[in-house]
Amino acid sequence: MLANVDALLLARWQFGFTVAFHIVFPAFSIGLASYLAVLEGLWLATGRQVFIDLFRYWIKIFAIAFAMGVVSGLVMSYQFGTNWSVYADKTGPVLGPLMAYEVLSAFFLEAGFLGVMLFAMSKVGPRLHFLATLMVAIGTFFSAFWILSVNSWMQTPQGHAVNAAGQFVPADWWAIVFNPSFPYRLVHMVMAAYLTTALVVGAVGALHLLRDRANEGARTMFSMAMWMLAVVAPLQILAGDAHGLNTLEHQPTKVMAMEGHFQSHPDGAPLILFGLPDQEAGTVRYAVEVPKLSSLILKHGLNEPLKGLDSVPRENWPPVPVVFWSFRVMVSLGMLMLLLGCLSLLARFKGKLYQWAALHRFALAMGPAGFVAVVAGWITTEVGRQPFTVYGLLRTAESASPLHAPAVAASLTAFVLVYFAVFGMGILYILHLMAKSPHRGEPGIEPGAPIRTAGITPAPSVTAGRSLHPAE
């Protein structure tokens, strides 16, 4: 069946699948690295055993999530050469150095200190180990910084010129890195990572509180997660609003698709809550809408005019139904996160944070919500950029390699099977670790004895008072 689909569409599906699978792991590891740094810092500052126990509980989960994030992302760089060679050739002079900076300044920082963080607490001492944990957390942030700079330049390109070969070449690196949408995208994504981690930590804490309300580790992690949610969820909504206004300025077509505005509204646009976008007919069927609210949100005036997709050539329309619904999934989950944070404040005020079973069940159900919201937000951003890879400058149809559909279909099928098998097992093992109750004296990651994988056979150890056998 896939062999009969257009090769360009298959290549887009393949990249979309691998990115959607990959993005959930960095979103989790960015937040979890910072959470681990906070836990270890609190342990050093207070000496409370519960903080180091929680650090050891979550560091095992972090190690697996971090590894899966690295491995799941490797194949994307190969796809630039196999499926998107024209895109790689035309954008390489601009995006190639940015990707190299990510490796040099972020990945090396993470990799350099990760081994110390995971295995060397007893060898380097708690303060130096805390420094290693901080460096890993900072490394994850810098990694997000460079990757989001790359993505933001594709959304709002500036600071470049075009050479005789048709390649984008750098003219102003400051303008390239700090392009118009980058600050908004960076803040929005980092806070999304913190919310994703808070929801997972809160769900695990809620699970163990439902089993044992006196569990100190469960109480502590749940309380910390709910504080993070209560503080960051409203900030994320404000950041999302600012990001939306920036998108309206630089990518108005994307906002038109998000809002479902096929027609222009000269006297104030309604906010369409739900409906069925019909791209062919250019309308939203069965729309449930609030009059003039979209103009109030986007232009801060009830009667402010808003242009619709009828002002844009149809060949430049993104797939409106996909963008319309992914945006609503993201926003709806954001509202639920805000509700959970507010309910946690109410429970805390009433002294029922650890006794309110309904709150714990709500938090448990919201555990995966951060991942779904991140993927929905990514779909809104990337599909809303279509039909361009570099917005307004390089079309997606002009970016692909000259491949035959059966070849792309075969690799896509292989990716789907391998990803679900390998990473599915990894996710199941993470869930298995989360199902275990945190307890006092939590063991950390045990490096164990060295394992010989290649090279010279290591010399045997000699027990005191024992002579070596001639054969040894």
Side-chain angles (χ1 to χ4, degrees), residues 34-35 38 80 124 137 139 163 203 227 235 237 248 261 284 286-287 306 314 322 335 339 345 379 415:
S34 297
Y35 181 55
V38 170
F80 288 135
V124 302
N163 64 13
W227 274 124
L235 293 177
I237 293 172
L248 178 65
H261 290 162
V284 178
Y286 313 109
L306 277 178
R314 186 175 278 266
V322 177
M335 294 297 105
L339 176 60
L345 290 177
I379 291 173
F415 277 133

Side-chain angles (χ1 to χ4, degrees), residues 192-425:
Y194 289 156
L195 285 172
T196 298
T197 302
L199 287 166
V200 173
V201 173
V204 174
L207 171 67
H208 296 296
L209 282 175
L210 288 169
R211 295 174 176 175
D212 178 9
R213 301 192 190 284
N215 187 302
E216 186 182 13
R219 291 163 72 100
T220 302
M221 74 168 77
F222 185 74
S223 177
M224 294 176 73
M226 291 302 104
W227 274 124
M228 176 62 76
L229 204 63
V231 172
V232 177
L235 293 177
Q236 178 71 314
I237 293 172
L238 294 176
D241 177 66
H243 190 16
L245 296 178
N246 175 264
T247 305
L248 178 65
E249 179 182 357
H250 296 282
Q251 295 178 291
T253 306
K254 181 188 293 186
V255 175
M256 295 171 192
M258 290 159 54
E259 297 291 326
H261 290 162
F262 287 99
Q263 290 82 33
S264 298
H265 297 275
D267 301 316
L271 177 66
I272 301 175
L273 301 177
F274 303 103
L276 298 177
D278 185 336
Q279 185 148 346
E280 189 66 29
T283 187
V284 178
R285 303 188 185 279
Y286 313 109
V288 178
E289 57 187 41
V290 180
K292 300 183 182 292
L293 187 55
S294 186
S295 286
L296 180 63
I297 294 172
L298 293 172
K299 291 291 189 73
H300 300 158
L302 289 173
N303 297 312
E304 291 293 323
L306 277 178
K307 291 183 178 181
L309 288 167
D310 56 1
S311 65
V312 179
R314 186 175 278 266
E315 62 268 20
N316 291 339
W317 288 13
V320 177
V322 177
V323 180
F324 181 88
W325 280 110
S326 62
F327 177 68
R328 274 148 188 76
V329 169
M330 179 184 67
V331 171
S332 299
L333 290 173
M335 294 297 105
L336 289 175
M337 294 174 200
L338 179 64
L339 176 60
L340 178 57
C342 291
L343 289 175
S344 73
L345 290 177
L346 177 63
R348 200 182 295 272
F349 176 75
K350 291 187 173 183
K352 296 181 178 180
L353 185 65
Y354 309 120
Q355 289 77 36
W356 194 359
L359 176 67
H360 301 158
R361 293 190 181 95
F362 184 23
L364 183 59
M366 286 291 290
F371 299 114
V372 178
V374 165
V375 173
W378 173 81
I379 291 173
T380 301
T381 296
E382 303 308 316
V383 179
R385 175 169 43 85
Q386 295 302 315
F388 299 99
T389 47
V390 180
Y391 188 75
L393 300 176
L394 180 63
R395 300 183 77 88
T396 305
E398 299 168 350
S399 305
S401 303
L403 294 173
H404 295 294
V408 186
S411 58
L412 172 58
T413 303
F415 277 133
V416 171
L417 295 176
V418 171
Y419 268 51
F420 275 107
V422 175
F423 297 113
M425 289 188 289

